[in-house]
Coordinates of all heavy atoms in Angstrom, one line a residue:
M1 N -2.3 6.0 -12.1 CA -2.6 4.8 -11.4 C -3.7 4.1 -12.2 O -4.7 4.6 -12.5 CB -3.1 5.1 -9.9 CG -3.5 3.9 -9.2 SD -3.9 4.2 -7.5 CE -5.6 4.8 -7.6
V2 N -3.5 2.8 -12.4 CA -4.5 2.0 -13.1 C -5.3 1.3 -12.1 O -4.8 0.7 -11.2 CB -3.8 0.9 -14.0 CG1 -4.8 0.1 -14.7 CG2 -2.9 1.6 -15.0
E3 N -6.6 1.4 -12.2 CA -7.5 0.8 -11.3 C -8.2 -0.3 -12.0 O -8.7 -0.2 -13.1 CB -8.5 1.8 -10.8 CG -7.9 2.9 -9.9 CD -8.9 3.8 -9.3 OE1 -9.9 3.4 -8.9 OE2 -8.5 5.0 -9.1
G4 N -8.3 -1.5 -11.3 CA -9.0 -2.6 -11.9 C -10.3 -2.9 -11.1 O -10.8 -2.0 -10.4
E5 N -10.7 -4.1 -11.2 CA -11.9 -4.6 -10.5 C -11.7 -4.6 -9.0 O -12.6 -4.4 -8.2 CB -12.3 -5.9 -11.0 CG -13.6 -6.5 -10.5 CD -14.0 -7.8 -11.1 OE1 -13.4 -8.2 -12.1 OE2 -14.8 -8.5 -10.5
Y6 N -10.5 -4.9 -8.5 CA -10.2 -5.0 -7.1 C -9.2 -3.9 -6.7 O -8.4 -3.5 -7.5 CB -9.5 -6.4 -6.8 CG -10.4 -7.5 -7.3 CD1 -10.1 -8.3 -8.4 CD2 -11.5 -7.9 -6.5 CE1 -10.8 -9.3 -8.8 CE2 -12.3 -8.9 -6.9 CZ -12.0 -9.7 -8.0 OH -12.7 -10.7 -8.4
G7 N -9.3 -3.5 -5.4 CA -8.4 -2.6 -4.8 C -7.1 -3.3 -4.3 O -7.1 -4.6 -4.3
I8 N -6.2 -2.6 -3.9 CA -4.9 -3.2 -3.4 C -5.3 -4.1 -2.2 O -6.0 -3.6 -1.3 CB -4.0 -2.1 -2.9 CG1 -3.5 -1.2 -4.2 CG2 -2.7 -2.6 -2.2 CD1 -2.7 0.0 -3.8
G9 N -4.8 -5.3 -2.2 CA -5.1 -6.2 -1.1 C -6.4 -7.0 -1.2 O -6.7 -7.7 -0.3
E10 N -7.1 -6.8 -2.3 CA -8.5 -7.4 -2.4 C -8.4 -8.4 -3.6 O -7.6 -8.4 -4.4 CB -9.5 -6.3 -2.7 CG -9.7 -5.3 -1.6 CD -10.7 -4.2 -1.9 OE1 -11.0 -4.0 -3.1 OE2 -11.2 -3.7 -1.0
G11 N -9.5 -9.2 -3.6 CA -9.7 -10.2 -4.7 C -9.0 -11.5 -4.4 O -8.3 -11.7 -3.4
P12 N -9.3 -12.5 -5.3 CA -8.8 -13.8 -5.1 C -7.3 -13.8 -5.3 O -6.8 -12.9 -6.1 CB -9.5 -14.7 -6.1 CG -10.0 -13.7 -7.2 CD -10.2 -12.4 -6.5
A13 N -6.6 -14.8 -4.8 CA -5.2 -14.9 -5.0 C -4.9 -15.3 -6.5 O -5.7 -16.1 -7.1 CB -4.6 -16.0 -4.1
T14 N -3.9 -14.9 -7.0 CA -3.5 -15.2 -8.4 C -2.0 -15.6 -8.4 O -1.2 -14.9 -7.7 CB -3.8 -14.1 -9.4 OG1 -3.5 -14.6 -10.7 CG2 -3.0 -12.9 -9.1
R15 N -1.6 -16.5 -9.2 CA -0.2 -16.9 -9.3 C 0.5 -16.0 -10.2 O 0.1 -15.6 -11.2 CB -0.1 -18.4 -9.8 CG -0.4 -19.4 -8.8 CD 0.1 -20.8 -9.4 NE 0.1 -21.8 -8.4 CZ 1.0 -22.0 -7.5 NH1 2.1 -21.3 -7.5 NH2 0.9 -22.9 -6.5
V16 N 1.7 -15.6 -9.7 CA 2.6 -14.8 -10.5 C 4.0 -15.4 -10.4 O 4.3 -16.0 -9.3 CB 2.6 -13.3 -10.1 CG1 1.3 -12.7 -10.3 CG2 3.1 -13.1 -8.7
S17 N 4.8 -15.2 -11.3 CA 6.2 -15.6 -11.3 C 7.0 -14.4 -10.7 O 6.9 -13.3 -11.1 CB 6.7 -15.9 -12.7 OG 8.1 -16.3 -12.6
L18 N 7.9 -14.7 -9.7 CA 8.6 -13.7 -9.1 C 10.1 -14.1 -8.9 O 10.3 -15.2 -8.5 CB 8.0 -13.4 -7.7 CG 8.8 -12.5 -6.8 CD1 8.7 -11.0 -7.3 CD2 8.2 -12.5 -5.4
S19 N 11.0 -13.3 -9.3 CA 12.4 -13.6 -9.2 C 13.0 -12.7 -8.1 O 12.8 -11.5 -8.2 CB 13.2 -13.4 -10.5 OG 12.7 -14.3 -11.5
L20 N 13.7 -13.3 -7.1 CA 14.3 -12.6 -6.1 C 15.8 -13.0 -6.0 O 16.0 -14.2 -6.3 CB 13.6 -12.8 -4.7 CG 12.2 -12.3 -4.6 CD1 11.7 -12.8 -3.2 CD2 12.2 -10.8 -4.6
P21 N 16.7 -12.2 -5.5 CA 18.0 -12.7 -5.2 C 17.9 -13.8 -4.1 O 17.0 -13.7 -3.2 CB 18.7 -11.5 -4.6 CG 18.0 -10.3 -5.2 CD 16.5 -10.8 -5.3
E22 N 18.7 -14.9 -4.2 CA 18.6 -16.0 -3.3 C 18.7 -15.5 -1.8 O 18.0 -16.0 -1.0 CB 19.6 -17.1 -3.6 CG 19.5 -18.3 -2.8 CD 18.2 -19.0 -2.9 OE1 17.5 -19.0 -4.0 OE2 17.7 -19.6 -1.9
G23 N 19.6 -14.6 -1.6 CA 19.8 -14.1 -0.2 C 18.5 -13.5 0.4 O 18.2 -13.6 1.5
T24 N 17.8 -12.7 -0.5 CA 16.5 -12.2 -0.1 C 15.5 -13.2 0.2 O 14.8 -13.2 1.2 CB 16.0 -11.2 -1.2 OG1 17.0 -10.2 -1.4 CG2 14.7 -10.5 -0.7
A25 N 15.4 -14.2 -0.7 CA 14.4 -15.3 -0.5 C 14.8 -16.1 0.8 O 13.9 -16.4 1.6 CB 14.4 -16.2 -1.7
E26 N 16.0 -16.3 1.0 CA 16.4 -17.0 2.3 C 16.1 -16.3 3.5 O 15.6 -16.8 4.5 CB 17.9 -17.3 2.2 CG 18.3 -18.4 1.3 CD 19.9 -18.6 1.2 OE1 20.6 -18.0 1.9 OE2 20.3 -19.4 0.4
A27 N 16.3 -14.9 3.4 CA 16.0 -14.1 4.6 C 14.5 -14.1 4.9 O 14.1 -14.2 6.0 CB 16.5 -12.7 4.3
I28 N 13.6 -14.1 3.8 CA 12.2 -14.1 4.0 C 11.8 -15.5 4.6 O 11.1 -15.5 5.6 CB 11.5 -13.9 2.7 CG1 11.7 -12.5 2.2 CG2 10.0 -14.2 2.9 CD1 11.2 -12.2 0.8
R29 N 12.3 -16.6 4.1 CA 12.0 -17.9 4.6 C 12.4 -18.0 6.1 O 11.7 -18.6 6.9 CB 12.7 -19.0 3.8 CG 12.0 -19.3 2.5 CD 12.7 -20.5 1.8 NE 12.5 -20.4 0.4 CZ 13.4 -20.0 -0.5 NH1 14.6 -19.7 -0.1 NH2 13.1 -19.9 -1.8
A30 N 13.6 -17.5 6.4 CA 14.1 -17.6 7.8 C 13.2 -16.8 8.7 O 13.0 -17.1 9.9 CB 15.5 -17.1 7.9
R31 N 12.6 -15.7 8.2 CA 11.8 -14.8 9.1 C 10.4 -15.3 9.2 O 9.8 -15.3 10.3 CB 11.8 -13.4 8.5 CG 11.1 -12.4 9.3 CD 11.4 -11.0 8.9 NE 12.8 -10.6 9.0 CZ 13.3 -10.1 10.1 NH1 12.6 -9.9 11.2 NH2 14.6 -9.8 10.2
V32 N 9.8 -15.8 8.2 CA 8.4 -16.2 8.2 C 8.1 -17.6 7.9 O 6.9 -18.1 8.0 CB 7.5 -15.3 7.3 CG1 7.7 -13.8 7.7 CG2 7.9 -15.5 5.9
G33 N 9.1 -18.4 7.4 CA 8.8 -19.8 7.0 C 8.3 -19.9 5.6 O 7.9 -18.9 5.0
K34 N 8.4 -21.1 5.1 CA 8.0 -21.3 3.7 C 6.5 -21.1 3.5 O 6.1 -20.5 2.4 CB 8.3 -22.8 3.3 CG 8.1 -23.1 1.9 CD 8.6 -24.4 1.5 CE 8.4 -24.7 0.1 NZ 8.9 -26.0 -0.4
R35 N 5.6 -21.5 4.4 CA 4.2 -21.3 4.2 C 3.7 -19.9 4.1 O 2.7 -19.6 3.5 CB 3.4 -22.1 5.3 CG 3.6 -23.5 5.2 CD 2.8 -24.2 6.3 NE 2.8 -25.6 6.2 CZ 1.7 -26.3 5.9 NH1 0.5 -25.7 5.9 NH2 1.8 -27.6 5.8
E36 N 4.4 -19.0 4.8 CA 4.0 -17.6 4.8 C 4.7 -16.7 3.9 O 4.6 -15.5 3.9 CB 4.1 -17.1 6.3 CG 3.2 -17.7 7.3 CD 1.7 -17.5 6.9 OE1 1.3 -16.4 6.5 OE2 1.0 -18.5 7.1
F37 N 5.6 -17.3 3.0 CA 6.4 -16.5 2.1 C 5.6 -15.6 1.2 O 5.8 -14.4 1.1 CB 7.2 -17.5 1.2 CG 8.2 -16.9 0.4 CD1 9.6 -16.9 0.8 CD2 8.0 -16.4 -0.9 CE1 10.6 -16.3 0.1 CE2 9.0 -15.8 -1.6 CZ 10.3 -15.7 -1.2
S38 N 4.5 -16.2 0.6 CA 3.7 -15.4 -0.3 C 3.0 -14.3 0.4 O 2.9 -13.1 -0.1 CB 2.7 -16.3 -1.0 OG 3.3 -17.1 -1.9
A39 N 2.5 -14.5 1.6 CA 1.8 -13.5 2.3 C 2.7 -12.4 2.7 O 2.4 -11.2 2.6 CB 1.2 -14.1 3.6
F40 N 4.0 -12.7 3.0 CA 5.0 -11.7 3.4 C 5.3 -10.8 2.2 O 5.3 -9.6 2.3 CB 6.3 -12.4 3.9 CG 7.3 -11.4 4.3 CD1 7.4 -11.0 5.6 CD2 8.3 -11.0 3.4 CE1 8.4 -10.1 6.0 CE2 9.3 -10.1 3.7 CZ 9.4 -9.7 5.0
V41 N 5.5 -11.4 1.0 CA 5.8 -10.7 -0.2 C 4.6 -9.8 -0.6 O 4.8 -8.6 -0.9 CB 6.2 -11.6 -1.3 CG1 6.3 -10.9 -2.7 CG2 7.5 -12.3 -1.0
A42 N 3.4 -10.4 -0.5 CA 2.2 -9.6 -0.8 C 2.1 -8.4 0.0 O 1.8 -7.3 -0.4 CB 0.9 -10.5 -0.7
A43 N 2.3 -8.5 1.3 CA 2.1 -7.4 2.3 C 3.2 -6.3 2.0 O 2.9 -5.1 2.0 CB 2.3 -7.9 3.7
A44 N 4.4 -6.8 1.6 CA 5.5 -5.8 1.3 C 5.1 -5.0 0.0 O 5.3 -3.8 -0.1 CB 6.8 -6.5 1.1
V45 N 4.6 -5.7 -1.0 CA 4.2 -5.1 -2.2 C 3.1 -4.1 -2.0 O 3.1 -3.0 -2.5 CB 3.9 -6.1 -3.3 CG1 3.2 -5.5 -4.5 CG2 5.1 -6.9 -3.7
E46 N 2.1 -4.5 -1.2 CA 1.0 -3.6 -0.9 C 1.5 -2.3 -0.2 O 1.0 -1.2 -0.5 CB 0.0 -4.3 0.0 CG -0.8 -5.4 -0.8 CD -1.7 -6.2 0.1 OE1 -2.0 -5.8 1.2 OE2 -2.0 -7.3 -0.4
R47 N 2.4 -2.5 0.7 CA 3.0 -1.3 1.4 C 3.7 -0.4 0.4 O 3.5 0.9 0.5 CB 4.0 -1.7 2.6 CG 3.3 -2.1 3.8 CD 4.3 -2.2 5.0 NE 5.4 -3.1 4.6 CZ 5.4 -4.4 4.8 NH1 4.4 -5.0 5.3 NH2 6.5 -5.2 4.5
E48 N 4.5 -1.0 -0.5 CA 5.2 -0.2 -1.5 C 4.2 0.6 -2.4 O 4.3 1.7 -2.7 CB 6.1 -1.1 -2.3 CG 6.8 -0.4 -3.4 CD 7.8 0.7 -3.0 OE1 8.2 0.7 -1.8 OE2 8.1 1.6 -3.8
L49 N 3.1 -0.1 -2.9 CA 2.1 0.5 -3.7 C 1.5 1.7 -3.0 O 1.3 2.7 -3.6 CB 1.1 -0.5 -4.2 CG 1.5 -1.5 -5.2 CD1 0.5 -2.6 -5.4 CD2 1.7 -0.8 -6.6
R50 N 1.1 1.5 -1.8 CA 0.4 2.5 -1.0 C 1.3 3.7 -0.8 O 0.9 4.8 -0.9 CB -0.1 2.0 0.3 CG -1.3 1.1 0.0 CD -1.9 0.6 1.4 NE -3.1 -0.2 1.0 CZ -3.2 -1.5 1.5 NH1 -2.3 -2.1 2.3 NH2 -4.3 -2.2 1.2
G51 N 2.6 3.4 -0.6 CA 3.6 4.5 -0.4 C 3.7 5.3 -1.7 O 3.8 6.5 -1.7
Q52 N 3.8 4.6 -2.8 CA 3.9 5.3 -4.1 C 2.6 6.1 -4.4 O 2.7 7.2 -4.9 CB 4.1 4.3 -5.2 CG 5.5 3.7 -5.2 CD 5.8 2.8 -6.4 OE1 5.0 2.7 -7.3 NE2 6.9 2.1 -6.3
I53 N 1.5 5.6 -4.0 CA 0.2 6.3 -4.2 C 0.2 7.6 -3.4 O -0.1 8.7 -3.8 CB -1.0 5.5 -3.9 CG1 -1.1 4.4 -5.0 CG2 -2.3 6.3 -3.8 CD1 -2.1 3.3 -4.6
L54 N 0.6 7.5 -2.1 CA 0.8 8.7 -1.2 C 1.7 9.7 -1.8 O 1.4 10.9 -1.8 CB 1.2 8.3 0.2 CG 1.3 9.5 1.1 CD1 0.1 10.3 1.2 CD2 1.8 9.0 2.5
D55 N 2.9 9.2 -2.3 CA 3.8 10.1 -2.9 C 3.2 10.9 -4.1 O 3.4 12.1 -4.3 CB 5.1 9.3 -3.4 CG 6.0 8.9 -2.2 OD1 5.8 9.4 -1.1 OD2 6.8 8.0 -2.5
E56 N 2.4 10.2 -4.9 CA 1.8 10.8 -6.0 C 0.8 11.8 -5.6 O 0.7 12.9 -6.1 CB 1.0 9.7 -6.9 CG 2.0 8.8 -7.6 CD 1.3 7.6 -8.2 OE1 0.1 7.5 -8.2 OE2 2.0 6.7 -8.7
Y57 N 0.0 11.5 -4.5 CA -1.0 12.5 -4.0 C -0.2 13.8 -3.5 O -0.6 14.9 -3.7 CB -1.8 11.9 -2.8 CG -2.9 11.0 -3.3 CD1 -3.3 9.9 -2.5 CD2 -3.6 11.2 -4.5 CE1 -4.3 9.1 -2.9 CE2 -4.6 10.3 -4.9 CZ -5.0 9.3 -4.0 OH -6.0 8.5 -4.4
L58 N 0.8 13.5 -2.7 CA 1.6 14.7 -2.2 C 2.2 15.5 -3.3 O 2.2 16.8 -3.2 CB 2.6 14.2 -1.2 CG 2.1 13.6 0.1 CD1 3.3 13.0 1.0 CD2 1.3 14.6 0.9
T59 N 2.8 14.9 -4.3 CA 3.3 15.6 -5.4 C 2.3 16.4 -6.1 O 2.5 17.6 -6.5 CB 4.0 14.6 -6.4 OG1 5.1 13.9 -5.7 CG2 4.5 15.3 -7.6
D60 N 1.1 15.8 -6.3 CA 0.0 16.5 -7.0 C -0.4 17.7 -6.1 O -0.7 18.8 -6.6 CB -1.2 15.6 -7.2 CG -2.4 16.3 -7.9 OD1 -2.2 16.9 -9.0 OD2 -3.4 16.4 -7.3
Y61 N -0.6 17.5 -4.8 CA -1.0 18.6 -3.9 C 0.0 19.7 -4.0 O -0.4 20.9 -4.1 CB -1.0 18.1 -2.5 CG -1.4 19.2 -1.5 CD1 -2.8 19.4 -1.2 CD2 -0.5 20.0 -0.9 CE1 -3.1 20.4 -0.3 CE2 -0.8 21.0 0.0 CZ -2.1 21.2 0.2 OH -2.5 22.3 1.1
E62 N 1.3 19.4 -3.9 CA 2.4 20.5 -4.0 C 2.4 21.2 -5.3 O 2.6 22.4 -5.4 CB 3.7 19.8 -3.7 CG 3.8 19.5 -2.2 CD 5.2 19.0 -1.8 OE1 5.9 18.3 -2.7 OE2 5.6 19.3 -0.6
R63 N 2.1 20.5 -6.4 CA 2.0 21.1 -7.7 C 0.9 22.1 -7.7 O 1.1 23.2 -8.3 CB 1.8 20.0 -8.8 CG 1.7 20.6 -10.2 CD 1.3 19.5 -11.2 NE 0.1 18.8 -10.9 CZ -1.2 19.3 -11.1 NH1 -1.3 20.5 -11.5 NH2 -2.2 18.5 -10.8
R64 N -0.2 21.8 -7.1 CA -1.3 22.7 -7.1 C -1.3 23.8 -6.1 O -1.8 24.9 -6.3 CB -2.6 22.0 -7.0 CG -3.0 21.1 -8.2 CD -4.3 20.3 -8.1 NE -4.1 19.2 -7.1 CZ -4.9 19.1 -6.0 NH1 -5.9 20.0 -5.8 NH2 -4.7 18.2 -5.1
H65 N -0.7 23.5 -4.9 CA -0.8 24.4 -3.8 C 0.6 24.9 -3.2 O 0.6 25.7 -2.3 CB -1.5 23.8 -2.6 CG -2.9 23.4 -3.0 ND1 -4.0 24.2 -3.1 CD2 -3.4 22.1 -3.2 CE1 -5.0 23.6 -3.5 NE2 -4.7 22.3 -3.5
G66 N 1.7 24.4 -3.8 CA 3.0 24.8 -3.3 C 3.5 23.8 -2.3 O 2.8 22.8 -1.9
P67 N 4.8 24.0 -1.9 CA 5.4 23.0 -1.0 C 4.7 22.8 0.3 O 4.1 23.7 0.9 CB 6.8 23.7 -0.7 CG 7.0 24.6 -1.8 CD 5.6 25.1 -2.2
L68 N 4.7 21.6 0.7 CA 4.1 21.2 2.0 C 5.3 20.9 3.0 O 6.2 20.2 2.7 CB 3.3 19.9 1.8 CG 2.4 19.4 2.9 CD1 1.3 20.4 3.1 CD2 1.8 18.0 2.5
P69 N 5.2 21.6 4.2 CA 6.3 21.4 5.1 C 6.5 20.0 5.5 O 5.5 19.2 5.5 CB 5.8 22.2 6.3 CG 4.8 23.2 5.8 CD 4.2 22.5 4.6
A70 N 7.7 19.6 5.9 CA 8.1 18.2 6.2 C 7.2 17.7 7.3 O 6.7 16.5 7.3 CB 9.5 18.1 6.6
R71 N 6.8 18.5 8.3 CA 6.0 18.1 9.4 C 4.6 17.7 8.9 O 4.1 16.7 9.4 CB 5.9 19.3 10.4 CG 5.0 19.0 11.6 CD 4.8 20.2 12.5 NE 4.2 21.3 11.9 CZ 2.9 21.5 11.6 NH1 2.0 20.5 11.9 NH2 2.4 22.6 11.0
L72 N 4.1 18.5 8.0 CA 2.7 18.1 7.4 C 2.8 16.9 6.5 O 1.9 16.1 6.5 CB 2.1 19.3 6.7 CG 1.7 20.5 7.6 CD1 1.2 21.6 6.7 CD2 0.8 20.0 8.7
Q73 N 3.9 16.7 5.8 CA 4.1 15.5 5.0 C 4.1 14.3 6.0 O 3.5 13.2 5.7 CB 5.4 15.5 4.2 CG 5.3 16.4 3.0 CD 6.6 16.3 2.1 OE1 7.3 15.3 2.2 NE2 6.8 17.3 1.4
A74 N 4.8 14.4 7.1 CA 4.9 13.3 8.1 C 3.5 13.0 8.7 O 3.2 11.8 8.8 CB 5.9 13.6 9.2
E75 N 2.8 14.0 8.9 CA 1.4 13.8 9.4 C 0.5 13.1 8.4 O -0.3 12.2 8.7 CB 0.8 15.1 9.8 CG 1.3 15.7 11.1 CD 0.7 17.1 11.5 OE1 -0.5 17.3 11.1 OE2 1.4 17.8 12.2
A76 N 0.6 13.5 7.1 CA -0.1 12.9 6.1 C 0.2 11.4 6.0 O -0.7 10.6 5.8 CB 0.1 13.6 4.7
R77 N 1.5 11.1 6.0 CA 2.0 9.7 6.0 C 1.4 8.9 7.2 O 1.0 7.8 7.0 CB 3.5 9.6 5.9 CG 4.0 10.1 4.6 CD 5.5 9.9 4.5 NE 6.0 10.5 3.3 CZ 5.8 10.1 2.1 NH1 5.1 9.0 1.8 NH2 6.3 10.8 1.1
Q78 N 1.3 9.5 8.3 CA 0.8 8.8 9.5 C -0.7 8.5 9.3 O -1.2 7.5 9.6 CB 1.0 9.6 10.8 CG 0.6 8.9 12.1 CD 1.4 7.6 12.2 OE1 2.6 7.5 12.2 NE2 0.6 6.5 12.4
V79 N -1.4 9.5 8.8 CA -2.9 9.3 8.6 C -3.1 8.2 7.6 O -3.9 7.3 7.8 CB -3.5 10.7 8.1 CG1 -4.9 10.4 7.6 CG2 -3.6 11.6 9.3
F80 N -2.3 8.3 6.5 CA -2.4 7.3 5.4 C -2.1 5.9 6.0 O -2.9 4.9 5.8 CB -1.4 7.6 4.3 CG -1.7 7.0 3.0 CD1 -2.7 7.6 2.2 CD2 -1.0 6.0 2.5 CE1 -2.9 7.0 0.9 CE2 -1.2 5.4 1.3 CZ -2.2 6.0 0.5
D81 N -1.0 5.8 6.8 CA -0.7 4.5 7.4 C -1.8 4.0 8.4 O -2.1 2.8 8.4 CB 0.6 4.6 8.2 CG 1.8 4.7 7.3 OD1 1.7 4.4 6.1 OD2 2.9 5.1 7.8
D82 N -2.4 4.9 9.2 CA -3.4 4.6 10.1 C -4.7 4.0 9.3 O -5.3 3.0 9.7 CB -3.9 5.8 10.9 CG -2.8 6.1 12.0 OD1 -1.9 5.4 12.2 OD2 -2.9 7.2 12.5
V83 N -5.0 4.7 8.3 CA -6.2 4.3 7.5 C -6.0 2.9 6.9 O -6.8 2.0 7.0 CB -6.5 5.3 6.4 CG1 -7.4 4.7 5.3 CG2 -7.0 6.6 6.9
F84 N -4.8 2.7 6.3 CA -4.6 1.4 5.6 C -4.2 0.3 6.6 O -4.2 -0.9 6.2 CB -3.7 1.5 4.5 CG -4.4 2.2 3.3 CD1 -4.1 3.5 3.0 CD2 -5.3 1.5 2.6 CE1 -4.8 4.1 1.9 CE2 -6.0 2.1 1.5 CZ -5.7 3.4 1.2
S85 N -3.9 0.6 7.8 CA -3.6 -0.5 8.8 C -4.9 -1.1 9.3 O -5.0 -2.1 9.9 CB -2.9 0.1 10.0 OG -3.7 0.9 10.8
Q86 N -6.0 -0.5 8.9 CA -7.4 -1.0 9.2 C -8.0 -1.7 8.0 O -9.2 -1.7 7.8 CB -8.3 0.1 9.7 CG -7.7 0.8 10.9 CD -8.5 2.1 11.2 OE1 -9.6 2.4 10.7 NE2 -7.9 2.9 12.1
D87 N -7.2 -2.4 7.2 CA -7.7 -3.0 6.0 C -8.8 -4.0 6.2 O -9.8 -4.1 5.5 CB -6.5 -3.8 5.3 CG -5.7 -2.9 4.4 OD1 -6.2 -1.8 4.1 OD2 -4.6 -3.3 4.0
A88 N -8.7 -4.8 7.3 CA -9.7 -5.8 7.5 C -11.1 -5.1 7.7 O -12.1 -5.6 7.1 CB -9.4 -6.6 8.7
A89 N -11.1 -4.0 8.4 CA -12.4 -3.3 8.6 C -12.9 -2.7 7.3 O -14.1 -2.8 7.0 CB -12.2 -2.2 9.7
L90 N -12.0 -2.2 6.5 CA -12.4 -1.6 5.2 C -13.0 -2.7 4.3 O -14.0 -2.4 3.6 CB -11.2 -0.9 4.5 CG -10.6 0.3 5.2 CD1 -9.4 0.7 4.5 CD2 -11.7 1.4 5.2
R91 N -12.4 -3.9 4.3 CA -12.8 -4.9 3.4 C -14.2 -5.5 3.8 O -14.9 -6.0 3.0 CB -11.8 -6.0 3.3 CG -10.5 -5.6 2.6 CD -9.5 -6.8 2.6 NE -8.2 -6.2 2.2 CZ -7.1 -6.8 2.5 NH1 -7.1 -7.9 3.2 NH2 -6.0 -6.3 2.2
E92 N -14.5 -5.4 5.1 CA -15.8 -6.0 5.6 C -16.9 -5.1 5.0 O -18.0 -5.6 4.8 CB -15.8 -6.0 7.1 CG -14.9 -7.0 7.7 CD -14.9 -7.0 9.2 OE1 -15.8 -6.3 9.8 OE2 -14.0 -7.6 9.8
D93 N -16.7 -3.8 4.8 CA -17.7 -2.9 4.4 C -17.6 -2.7 2.9 O -17.1 -1.6 2.5 CB -17.7 -1.6 5.2 CG -19.0 -0.8 4.9 OD1 -19.8 -1.2 4.1 OD2 -19.0 0.3 5.5
K94 N -17.9 -3.7 2.1 CA -17.6 -3.6 0.7 C -18.3 -2.5 -0.1 O -18.0 -2.2 -1.2 CB -17.8 -5.0 0.0 CG -16.9 -6.1 0.5 CD -17.2 -7.4 -0.2 CE -16.5 -8.5 0.4 NZ -15.1 -8.6 0.1
G95 N -19.4 -2.0 0.5 CA -20.2 -1.0 -0.2 C -19.5 0.4 -0.2 O -19.8 1.2 -0.9
K96 N -18.5 0.6 0.8 CA -17.9 1.9 0.9 C -16.6 1.9 0.0 O -15.9 0.9 0.0 CB -17.5 2.2 2.3 CG -18.7 2.6 3.1 CD -18.3 3.1 4.5 CE -19.5 3.6 5.3 NZ -19.1 4.0 6.6
Q97 N -16.4 3.0 -0.6 CA -15.1 3.2 -1.4 C -14.5 4.5 -1.0 O -15.2 5.5 -0.6 CB -15.5 3.3 -2.9 CG -16.1 2.0 -3.4 CD -15.4 1.4 -4.5 OE1 -14.5 2.1 -5.1 NE2 -15.7 0.2 -4.9
W98 N -13.2 4.6 -0.9 CA -12.5 5.8 -0.6 C -12.7 6.8 -1.7 O -12.5 6.4 -2.9 CB -11.1 5.5 -0.3 CG -10.9 4.9 1.0 CD1 -10.7 3.5 1.2 CD2 -10.9 5.5 2.3 NE1 -10.6 3.3 2.6 CE2 -10.8 4.5 3.3 CE3 -11.2 6.8 2.8 CZ2 -10.8 4.7 4.6 CZ3 -11.2 7.0 4.1 CH2 -11.0 6.0 5.0
P99 N -13.0 8.0 -1.5 CA -13.1 9.0 -2.6 C -11.7 9.3 -3.1 O -10.7 9.2 -2.4 CB -13.6 10.2 -1.9 CG -13.3 10.1 -0.4 CD -13.2 8.6 -0.1
A100 N -11.7 9.6 -4.4 CA -10.4 10.0 -5.1 C -9.9 11.3 -4.5 O -10.8 12.2 -4.1 CB -10.6 10.1 -6.6
A101 N -8.7 11.5 -4.5 CA -8.1 12.8 -4.0 C -8.5 13.9 -5.0 O -8.5 13.6 -6.2 CB -6.6 12.7 -3.8
S102 N -8.7 15.1 -4.6 CA -9.0 16.1 -5.5 C -8.1 17.3 -5.4 O -7.4 17.4 -4.4 CB -10.5 16.6 -5.3 OG -10.6 17.1 -4.0

């Protein structure tokens, strides 16, 4: 994982070029409207990134400690989702950083 100056979901907005199938773009516009298009895509990308990071942590854990039962994987995903659903609170306390997994 490459870490920059900002964490996922933080920092000023930056323009990027994005190509989507027209049907996908139309579905997003129909669901959230033109004005919220970027916010919808940003939220989806952030969820995907966090999911990939969790997968990496779980893979690393299993490499070091052996297989993790499906029930515990589900619990880990729930904890991870709960933590990151509180993004607003995390961003307010800019002095705190989440420790790296060990």
Side-chain angles (χ1 to χ4, degrees):
M1 180 174 80
V2 177
E3 294 187 31
E5 185 176 343
Y6 302 106
I8 296 171
E10 297 177 337
T14 186
R15 282 195 169 275
V16 296
S17 175
L18 173 68
S19 297
L20 295 172
E22 185 59 36
T24 302
E26 287 176 4
I28 294 170
R29 284 187 207 100
R31 186 165 296 272
V32 300
K34 187 176 181 179
R35 289 180 174 245
E36 296 298 319
F37 190 96
S38 292
F40 182 90
V41 171
V45 169
E46 289 171 18
R47 279 191 306 275
E48 176 65 20
L49 285 169
R50 289 182 178 127
Q52 288 183 9
I53 290 167
L54 177 58
D55 289 343
E56 292 168 6
Y57 283 149
L58 290 174
T59 298
D60 180 60
Y61 179 91
E62 288 184 327
R63 179 186 54 76
R64 291 181 291 122
H65 302 286
L68 192 62
R71 178 184 60 78
L72 293 178
Q73 285 186 21
E75 286 180 28
R77 290 185 188 287
Q78 185 60 53
V79 168
F80 201 78
D81 288 346
D82 290 348
V83 166
F84 285 106
S85 69
Q86 301 171 12
D87 276 344
L90 293 174
R91 289 182 197 155
E92 287 177 14
D93 191 359
K94 294 183 190 282
K96 286 190 176 178
Q97 300 236 347
W98 286 101
S102 57

